């Protein structure tokens, strides 16, 4: 399995404040890596460092593939359409002397829009679309441009349940296509359900592993300073992570 | 507004704008301090070799003036659109970004050294890109107030350039200074075919280069983070766009002096008409810019006839209220 992005001994400091230190993370092609952790633990900083937009205070990042970061502040102008978004990215891959899009480019855009369920909305302005559809438009652009790695900062925030599942399933599909995908999310159960690898970033360090190894009551309780209970859904078999106070109040 | 609807009606809108530009250009042939009836104008147009008054007015004064107006408007409109997309700031234009002021300073220096007109755009290009680079460097330090800093840096650099221009004018003495002052106020009168030829040559290079920069401009619309993610070398692309915008501005400044606000008003209005995609916006700015300058020049020639108001003055009266209105609300580039 090839590694698209690899960070070694990464550390980020803002002035005197140490965000994290000695973080190692590999993003393998074809896997969805989910990063969880409390607010301010450095999830967004880590994604920016991995994407090469922010220099780490310590350590180094190696990228063997083009890496696209979709941040919470990546708001394109409202008149941009999903087709434009993918087309803008693809246009950069053309030789400089070729001005018009080729048939292959158009086909790649259409295929990506179809994969993300946006064919019917391909020509609608993003300003008129829901947050979930905008996320899917970005993912379609990543698909069309065949990025090697896609990093997404909080793709599910502000989305209702249906769109959260929708976006994460699309990210999974992207990973199934061989893309290295990393997403920072807040919902621990969704992280357990969709992540091939889960990273818990808290207190300046990161624990990395498969969901069942990392999403344990002990690790999560320490990470969030809240008692967290982890159990399996009796029918579906997924891990469910819940703050224990809520469980106590139910029982 | 969906882009589908923009796409369907784009050619119609561009065609309507082109008709307006043609109408304004034709009107410019007929109206002026010397009244010519349509028959005289047509006769003059059909007989360029004639030396009567009508033929002289049409061929030596009005036609080059109209064509230079079209070039200056088209150039400043496109340069303004490129700079606004580059800085993702609707308050930027060649004037505010310091490009015009730097170009004017270099052009004044060249004029006072009695340089040939052929090289004045080249001087103006060097001056314009130098000032734009300083302004961009100050504004690029980013943050929430990056845009404000950019505008302030542009104003400061422009003021400095204006001060140096005054020094150059003082050194040039009264006779040399007066002609330069007239040029500086911004206008397209009194220029002839040789100047037009040079401007067209410089603009042709700038416009051709801008066609290859359309993809850079569109990628920059998505923000530098996403553009870099799609594989754009953002710093190189910004430098390319800045250089092209400075070249186009320099050609305009060399022939018309400092004509402000065209590069601000035109992209802003055209964006509302055809959307922000560079492939649609830049052609619309070519035509829209020509319309604005032809209209303003028509006013400049007629409101105080037989005297003439400098074009830059007319545009400032229209442009400043425009600036104040758009400065009060955020605009998506």
């Amino acid at each position: 399995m090839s590694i698209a992005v690899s960070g070694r001994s990464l550390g980020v400091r803002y002035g005197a404040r140490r965000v994290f230190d000695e973080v190692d993370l590999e993003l393998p092609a074809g896997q969805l890596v989910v990063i969880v952790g409390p607010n301010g633990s450095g999830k967004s900083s880590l994604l920016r460092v991995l994407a090469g937009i922010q220099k780490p205070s310590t350590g180094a990042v190696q990228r063997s593939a083009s890496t696209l970061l979709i941040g919470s502040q990546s708001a394109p102008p409202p008149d941009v359409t999903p087709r434009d978004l993918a087309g803008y990215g693809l246009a950069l891959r053309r030789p400089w002397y070729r001005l018009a899009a080729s048939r292959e480019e158009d086909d790649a855009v259409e295929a990506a829009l179809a994969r993300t369920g946006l064919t019917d909305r391909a020509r609608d302005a993003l300003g008129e679309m829901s947050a979930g559809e905008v996320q899917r438009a970005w993912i379609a652009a990543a698909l069309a441009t065949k990025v090697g790695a896609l990093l997404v900062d909080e793709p599910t925030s502000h989305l209702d349940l249906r769109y959260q599942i929708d976006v994460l399933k699309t990210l999974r599909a992207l990973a199934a296509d061989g893309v290295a995908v990393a997403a920072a999310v807040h919902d621990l159960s969704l992280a357990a359900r969709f992540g091939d690898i889960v990273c818990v970033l808290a207190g300046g360090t990161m624990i990395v592993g498969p969901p069942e190894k990392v999403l344990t009551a002990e690790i999560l309780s320490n990470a969030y300073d809240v008692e967290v209970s982890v159990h399996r859904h009796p029918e579906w078999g997924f891990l469910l992570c819940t703050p224990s106070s809520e469980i106590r109040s139910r029982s | 507004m969906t882009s589908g609807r923009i796409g369907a009606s784009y050619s119609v809108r561009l065609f309507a704008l082109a008709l307006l530009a043609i109408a304004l250009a034709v009107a410019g042939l007929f109206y002026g301090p010397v009244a010519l009836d349509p028959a005289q104008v047509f006769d003059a147009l059909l007989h360029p070799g004639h030396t009567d008054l009508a033929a002289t007015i049409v061929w030596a004064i009005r036609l080059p003036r109209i064509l230079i107006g079209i070039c200056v408007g088209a150039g400043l409109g496109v340069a303004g659109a490129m700079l606004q997309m580059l800085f993702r700031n609707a308050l930027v234009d060649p004037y505010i970004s310091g490009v015009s002021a730097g170009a004017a300073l270099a052009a004044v220096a060249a004029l006072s050294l009695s340089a040939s007109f052929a090289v004045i755009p080249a001087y103006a290009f060097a001056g314009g890109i130098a000032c734009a680079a300083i302004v961009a460097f100050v504004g690029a330090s980013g943050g929430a107030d990056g845009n404000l800093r950019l505008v302030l840096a542009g104003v400061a650099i422009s003021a400095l350039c204006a001060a140096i221009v005054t020094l150059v004018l003082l050194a040039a003495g009264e006779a040399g200074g007066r002609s330069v002052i007239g040029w500086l106020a911004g206008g397209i009168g009194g220029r002839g075919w040789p100047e037009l030829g040079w401007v067209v040559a410089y603009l042709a290079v700038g416009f051709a280069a801008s066609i290859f920069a359309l993809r850079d401009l569109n990628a920059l619309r998505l923000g530098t983070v996403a553009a870099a993610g799609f594989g754009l070398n953002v710093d190189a692309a910004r430098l390319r766009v800045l250089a092209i915008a400075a070249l186009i501005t320099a050609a305009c400044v060399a022939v018309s002096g400092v004509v402000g606000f065209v590069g601000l008003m035109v992209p802003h209005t055209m964006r509302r008409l055809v959307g922000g995609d560079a492939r649609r916006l830049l052609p619309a700015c070519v035509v829209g810019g020509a319309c604005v300058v032809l209209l303003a020049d028509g006013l400049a020639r007629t409101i105080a006839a037989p005297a003439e108001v400098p074009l830059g003055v007319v545009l400032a009266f229209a442009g400043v209220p425009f600036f104040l209105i758009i400065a009060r609300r955020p605009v998506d580039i």
Side-chain angles (χ1 to χ4, degrees):
Chain A
M1 194 180 332
S2 69
I3 303 297
V5 181
S6 158
R8 292 258 169 270
S9 309
L10 298 176
V12 165
R13 288 160 192 273
Y14 295 116
R17 189 169 84 89
R18 182 189 73 117
V19 182
F20 55 78
D21 259 334
E22 291 298 317
V23 162
D24 294 321
L25 182 61
E26 288 184 337
L27 305 182
Q31 301 240 303
L32 174 54
V33 176
V34 178
I35 303 166
V36 298
N39 290 332
S41 60
K43 299 186 294 292
S44 300
S45 299
L46 178 60
L47 289 178
R48 283 199 300 271
V49 165
L50 291 172
I53 286 146
Q54 179 178 337
K55 277 207 168 104
S57 309
T58 57
V61 177
Q62 281 195 320
R63 279 177 297 276
S64 61
S66 59
T67 305
L68 176 64
L69 170 64
I70 306 172
S72 40
Q73 71 279 55
S74 314
D79 71 314
V80 171
T81 68
R83 177 175 287 165
D84 287 340
L85 198 58
Y88 289 173
L90 263 183
L92 297 172
R93 306 284 165 88
R94 287 201 289 266
W96 65 271
Y97 51 83
R98 188 169 299 157
L99 293 172
S102 64
R103 169 68 71 81
E104 289 75 32
E105 275 179 52
D106 290 340
D107 290 349
V109 171
E110 293 310 323
L113 292 170
R115 279 290 298 278
T116 48
L118 284 171
T119 302
D120 292 341
R121 306 219 62 181
R123 288 174 178 275
D124 289 348
L126 289 182
E128 294 172 348
M129 295 169 62
S130 71
E133 287 169 321
V134 172
Q135 284 289 351
R136 279 194 282 148
W138 277 109
I139 295 168
L143 259 174
T145 53
K146 297 193 169 56
V147 294
L150 177 69
L151 314 178
V152 204
D153 197 2
E154 303 204 10
T156 52
S157 52
H158 313 300
L159 300 186
D160 69 24
L161 271 181
R162 178 184 177 278
Y163 282 114
Q164 290 183 20
I165 302 294
D166 190 44
V167 164
L168 285 166
K169 280 179 90 167
T170 314
L171 288 177
R172 274 230 66 99
L174 198 62
D177 264 15
V179 179
V181 184
V185 303
H186 274 297
D187 189 310
L188 299 170
S189 300
L190 286 178
R193 162 86 179 78
F194 287 96
D196 296 305
I197 300 167
V198 174
C199 313
V200 180
L201 184 59
T205 56
M206 193 164 77
I207 301 166
V208 183
E212 55 276 13
K213 289 268 171 57
V214 172
L215 295 174
T216 65
E218 189 191 354
I219 290 175
L220 292 176
S221 301
N222 287 337
Y224 287 92
D225 290 329
V226 171
E227 287 298 315
V228 178
S229 154
V230 179
H231 52 275
R232 264 186 204 284
H233 190 282
E235 285 174 38
W236 300 339
F238 308 141
L239 284 182
L240 297 173
C241 311
T242 337
S244 57
S245 58
E246 209 176 305
I247 289 169
R248 275 190 213 112
S249 67
R250 274 182 192 171
S251 60
Chain B
M1 188 189 299
T2 70
S3 100
R5 291 206 293 275
I6 290 174
S9 64
Y10 174 66
S11 345
V12 175
R13 290 170 192 216
L14 201 60
F15 184 68
L17 270 176
L19 284 183
L20 178 62
I22 291 169
L24 288 165
V26 171
L29 274 181
F30 287 97
Y31 293 99
V34 177
L36 296 179
D37 59 49
Q40 283 176 297
V41 173
F42 283 121
D43 189 55
L45 283 175
L46 293 173
H47 304 96
H50 285 190
T51 53
D52 61 330
L53 181 68
T56 309
I57 287 175
V58 168
W59 280 96
I61 299 175
R62 290 189 187 167
L63 203 51
R65 180 175 187 143
I66 288 163
L67 294 175
I68 286 173
I70 291 172
C71 287
V72 168
L76 292 177
V78 167
M82 293 181 81
L83 291 169
Q84 289 185 3
M85 294 182 89
L86 171 64
F87 294 116
R88 294 190 90 191
N89 184 338
L91 297 181
V92 168
D93 76 347
Y95 195 57
I96 286 156
S97 61
V99 176
S100 291
L105 171 57
V108 166
L111 283 171
S112 69
L113 296 171
S114 308
S116 131
F117 185 84
V119 295
I120 287 177
Y123 277 91
F125 172 61
I129 201 164
C131 282
I134 297 170
V135 171
F137 177 75
V138 175
S141 28
D145 56 349
N147 280 353
L148 179 62
R149 222 177 311 174
L150 190 81
V151 173
L152 289 177
V155 171
I157 290 286
S158 299
L160 178 65
C161 289
I164 300 173
V165 164
T166 308
L167 282 180
V168 174
L169 291 180
L170 285 173
E174 198 175 331
R178 190 165 297 160
S179 67
V180 176
I181 287 174
W183 170 84
L184 262 184
I188 53 176
R191 275 71 163 171
W193 294 98
E195 286 94 341
L196 176 65
W198 281 111
V199 170
V200 167
Y202 279 95
L203 278 186
V205 175
F207 282 176
S210 73
I211 294 172
F212 294 98
L214 291 176
R215 69 189 78 176
D216 298 337
L217 289 166
N218 276 337
L220 287 171
R221 294 188 78 201
L222 307 177
T224 50
V225 170
F230 282 129
L232 183 70
N233 181 339
V234 172
D235 290 338
R238 297 179 85 157
L239 197 62
R240 277 199 296 274
V241 170
L242 190 63
I244 296 166
L247 175 64
I248 293 172
T249 306
C252 299
V253 166
V255 72
S256 68
V258 179
V259 173
F261 300 105
V262 176
L264 179 78
M265 294 189 287
V266 170
H268 195 81
T269 315
M270 292 304 119
R271 199 175 290 116
R272 307 200 78 161
L273 204 61
V274 302
D277 188 305
R279 291 165 297 183
R280 290 189 282 262
L281 179 61
L282 263 53
C285 286
V286 167
V287 188
C291 289
V292 167
V293 169
L294 288 174
L295 187 63
D297 190 52
L299 288 174
R301 286 194 292 166
T302 47
I303 45 180
E308 199 173 294
V309 181
L311 177 63
V313 174
V314 174
L315 282 164
F317 274 100
V320 169
F322 196 93
F323 179 86
L324 294 177
I325 291 168
I326 58 175
R328 288 181 59 83
R329 50 185 188 162
V331 178
D332 294 299
I333 300 294

